[in-house]
Amino acid sequence: ADEGGAEAPVSGLRLRIRCLSNRAACYIKLGDYPKVVDDCTAAITAVRAFERDAAVRDRSLLKLHLRRGAAYVQLARADDARLEYRAAAAIDPSNETASIALQALDGPPPVSGTGP
């Protein structure tokens, strides 16, 4: 039974993934971008290998790709950042963060219908 809205117990692996994800968020705040990449990479690998619940998997991967993309931007690794934001957009095409980041990385779209 639900005890006052408490979350269900988290398995060991899910807890590790959550801790890596949260630590990556802390590293973003601290500006330690290589550690953001490391933690997100480890968490993404674990999520892909072990998470069977599609909703949990997608929610986790979306967050991790966005964080790793932000770190790559700060590390001036635009190509890697694009891959991360595209992965996030593939999970959630309506995600504004991924869309805005891709626009910033790719520049404004070409204007059609105008000529000299």
Side-chain angles (χ1 to χ4, degrees):
D2 189 346
E3 299 286 327
E7 289 186 33
V10 178
S11 73
L13 187 59
R14 278 192 180 159
L15 180 60
R16 175 158 174 72
I17 291 165
R18 188 179 293 176
C19 288
L20 287 166
S21 179
N22 289 342
R23 188 169 68 177
C26 292
Y27 284 141
I28 285 174
K29 297 287 187 189
L30 294 171
D32 195 341
Y33 303 110
K35 288 184 179 176
V36 174
V37 171
D38 291 345
D39 279 357
C40 287
T41 300
I44 287 169
T45 299
V47 168
R48 287 184 178 153
F50 301 108
E51 184 56 65
R52 299 294 172 236
D53 182 318
V56 171
R57 182 179 58 244
D58 287 351
R59 189 170 52 250
S60 296
L61 289 174
L62 176 65
K63 200 179 296 188
L64 291 162
H65 283 297
L66 291 173
R67 287 184 180 149
R68 194 162 65 173
Y72 281 141
V73 167
Q74 295 301 317
L75 293 168
R77 292 174 57 179
D79 290 342
D80 290 325
R82 272 187 204 88
L83 291 174
E84 296 303 322
Y85 289 125
R86 286 182 185 139
I91 294 166
D92 180 4
S94 67
N95 185 277
E96 285 187 43
T97 301
S99 179
I100 290 167
L102 284 168
Q103 287 174 7
L105 287 164
D106 293 337
V111 179
S112 62
T114 60

